[in-house]
Amino acid sequence: MSNMDSVRVRVFSLNCWGIRYLSKYCPQRYAMIGEMLYKEQHDIVLLQEVWSEKDYLFLKKKLASCHPHSHYFRSGVIGSGLAIFSKHRIRDTFLYRYSLNGYPYMAHHGDWFGGKAVGMAILNLGSLTANVYVTHLHAEYSREKDSYLPHRVVQAWELQQFIRYHTSAGADVVIVGGDLNMHPQDLGNRLLRAYTGLQDSYLETAKFDGCENGMTLIADNPFISKKELVPFEKGIRIDYILFKGSSKADVHCDSMSTTKGSVPNHPFPYSDHEALTAELRLEKLKNKDSTTGKLAELVDIVTEARTEVKVGLHCAERMRYTAARTGVMGLALLFLELVIAAVPYLALGAEQPFPRTSFYLLAVLCFAILLTTSMLYIFYTMELKSLQGAEDQMRLGIGSLQEKLKGFCLAQLHNPSGRPPEVQEPSAFEPEE
């Protein structure tokens, strides 16, 4: 074609489940992953849950000849677990850590300690500039009683803001890969895709080879507990490769594939998640018309997200009140104990009315209650502020979208031909309106 150049890019994404000393067969699986990546020669490799920097350095050494450019995103207590390997030179990187990421006292879940985040790398793919993002959102531990849903919705909101507003204005192509921990029709997923215009490789591909319905957590995987899939018998799809073009480039997904659990000549899979590979075709364009789209649907999605965040706000307010009330009780007990301790000094010759050991134990208990409730109060205050900030942003976003929708409706009334009104050419990644 005379008005466009074509570039093909193979993108790979995998949640490696790389918790040293806890994940099963971790060193052996990293060796398998390294061999597979060396053999397949993908253009871009996006990895999650590479919790140990030693494992990243192992892969970096293994892939030095085929993926000379790489970056490890550091965050949180034990790291973000995010890494990128590329055939193409990485021009710049940036990490954004989500403001909400679970609770520190839910240590058995571990999300808070991981510092969930989104990592960005800017690459040149031929003559096009690509912003590549790798991310991992908070896990869903219970479908029926998902106490982390407001946190995951806020993470999706911050992710779309990070991509749409803050980083992609100069990009010709956007590619996002990672474990979103959301089903295709979950609120956070719809919010992310509707606001940014990102397309799902599985839904857009011309050819697919992999697990049924593109599932990335499957019942046949020996590392998967059946409880993780309830109420889904065969599996779920929570890992994605998303993409979007711009006024300068079109992006098409020619093929997509996933691993299918077992690995030939090996006794176990690469991970508890299935790996994704998407072959994208980037076509450089001279011109691309601006379009107006589903503003009303976007208003509904953001309104639903705001409602869910409000639910999280009320929950956080209730928990903060409980922590404050318990702290006041602890303070009252401590004050009472101080009064009792002063009795021998105020009444000369009087003896301490309580055994000394019990007295000291009660003092330790009071201090423990005060310390714990103070920390919880501070944490829930921080959570409240983050939720309130997200809710305020969503409220403003809804107002802006409603104004655009109103203006579009008025323009249509004065435009009987049905042609969309002329609008200013948006930046590369303004949402489709």
Side-chain angles (χ1 to χ4, degrees):
M1 285 175 260
S2 58
N3 67 329
M4 60 180 71
D5 299 319
S6 181
V7 178
R8 293 186 181 274
V9 180
R10 293 182 71 224
V11 182
F12 176 91
S13 178
L14 174 64
N15 180 324
C16 297
W17 191 41
I19 310 172
R20 277 205 165 198
Y21 313 115
L22 292 178
S23 299
K24 295 180 180 178
Y25 310 112
C26 197
Q28 298 93 321
R29 291 189 294 104
Y30 271 118
M32 291 165 54
I33 292 169
E35 290 173 7
M36 180 265 292
L37 292 176
Y38 183 81
K39 178 182 177 182
E40 291 293 330
Q41 302 277 313
H42 303 91
D43 292 281
I44 300 169
V45 174
L46 306 174
L47 302 180
Q48 308 93 55
E49 289 206 20
V50 185
W51 296 118
S52 171
E53 192 164 353
K54 290 182 180 179
D55 294 322
Y56 161 74
L57 294 174
F58 165 79
L59 290 174
K60 182 178 181 179
K61 182 178 180 180
K62 176 74 175 178
L63 304 176
S65 60
C66 57
H67 294 88
H69 310 286
S70 65
H71 187 76
Y72 185 65
F73 296 94
R74 297 168 178 84
S75 173
V77 178
I78 59 174
S80 69
L82 305 176
I84 180 171
F85 295 85
S86 174
K87 285 185 177 180
H88 308 270
R89 181 174 173 269
I90 298 175
R91 289 172 40 201
D92 198 4
T93 61
F94 188 77
L95 178 78
Y96 174 76
R97 185 175 176 182
Y98 299 122
S99 61
L100 288 176
N101 189 38
Y103 306 103
Y105 55 83
M106 300 293 280
H108 60 294
H109 287 165
D111 293 75
W112 186 84
F113 299 95
K116 296 291 178 66
V118 52
M120 179 195 73
I122 300 177
L123 313 176
N124 283 337
L125 303 177
S127 59
L128 299 173
T129 298
N131 278 24
V132 180
Y133 302 84
V134 56
T135 190
H136 187 190
L137 272 58
H138 198 293
E140 178 187 78
Y141 294 98
S142 172
R143 190 70 177 170
E144 291 76 20
K145 298 179 180 179
D146 187 6
S147 58
Y148 297 112
L149 179 57
H151 285 211
R152 207 159 44 253
V153 170
V154 171
Q155 287 179 346
W157 175 260
E158 291 178 349
L159 177 58
Q160 68 83 16
Q161 284 191 316
F162 181 71
I163 294 172
R164 177 173 173 255
Y165 285 122
H166 303 305
T167 58
S168 63
D172 303 320
V173 176
V174 159
I175 298 170
V176 181
D179 176 4
L180 300 185
N181 274 310
M182 297 186 291
H183 297 226
Q185 291 305 314
D186 281 359
L187 174 59
N189 203 330
R190 289 185 284 120
L191 179 69
L192 172 64
R193 289 191 285 120
Y195 236 122
T196 60
L198 287 164
Q199 296 175 286
D200 187 344
S201 293
Y202 173 72
L203 299 178
E204 302 297 327
T205 186
K207 179 183 178 183
F208 177 75
D209 178 31
C211 298
E212 182 181 350
N213 298 321
M215 294 182 296
T216 58
L217 281 183
I218 61 173
D220 293 339
N221 191 308
F223 297 141
I224 294 294
S225 166
K226 303 299 181 184
K227 293 181 180 179
E228 295 182 57
L229 301 179
V230 174
F232 306 94
E233 293 183 1
K234 294 184 178 180
I236 55 179
R237 184 163 79 95
I238 60 175
D239 301 84
Y240 300 85
I241 295 176
L242 309 173
F243 62 87
K244 190 183 188 307
S246 67
S247 58
K248 298 179 182 178
D250 253 339
V251 185
H252 306 275
C253 185
D254 289 339
S255 68
M256 184 184 176
S257 63
T258 69
T259 51
K260 302 176 184 178
S262 60
V263 179
N265 303 318
H266 291 281
F268 38 77
Y270 294 115
S271 174
D272 58 345
H273 288 241
E274 301 307 314
L276 290 74
T277 300
E279 185 171 325
L280 305 179
R281 186 176 79 256
L282 319 180
E283 295 179 343
K284 187 176 180 181
L285 303 177
K286 287 186 176 178
N287 292 295
K288 185 176 179 179
D289 293 334
S290 302
T291 59
T292 50
K294 302 179 180 178
L295 271 177
E297 180 184 358
L298 186 53
V299 170
D300 291 339
I301 292 172
V302 180
T303 302
E304 186 180 350
R306 186 185 176 197
T307 301
E308 194 58 53
V309 170
K310 283 183 176 180
V311 171
L313 263 172
H314 293 314
C315 181
E317 285 173 345
R318 187 171 64 252
M319 295 299 288
R320 187 173 72 162
Y321 172 75
T322 302
R325 187 175 59 181
T326 307
V328 170
M329 290 172 59
L331 187 62
L333 279 173
L334 186 60
F335 179 75
L336 179 61
E337 191 171 16
L338 290 173
V339 171
I340 294 171
V343 168
Y345 301 99
L346 297 176
L348 297 176
E351 294 183 0
Q352 180 61 254
F354 291 106
R356 183 165 296 183
T357 303
S358 300
F359 189 79
Y360 289 152
L361 286 175
L362 183 59
V364 170
L365 177 62
C366 291
F367 277 115
I369 291 173
L370 276 175
L371 180 62
T372 303
T373 53
S374 298
M375 291 178 65
L376 286 174
Y377 186 86
I378 292 170
F379 175 80
Y380 286 122
T381 299
M382 292 169 61
E383 182 186 18
L384 268 172
K385 289 182 182 297
S386 294
L387 287 168
Q388 287 169 342
E391 195 269 334
D392 285 342
Q393 292 168 358
M394 290 177 183
R395 175 176 52 80
L396 293 172
I398 290 170
S400 176
L401 289 169
Q402 288 174 335
E403 291 240 352
K404 289 182 181 179
L405 183 61
K406 183 179 178 181
F408 177 61
C409 292
L410 288 174
Q412 280 194 321
L413 288 175
H414 295 88
N415 188 15
S417 65
R419 293 178 58 190
E422 291 186 8
V423 294
Q424 184 180 356
E425 182 72 15
S427 65
F429 292 97
E430 283 292 318
E432 296 182 356
E433 300 175 0

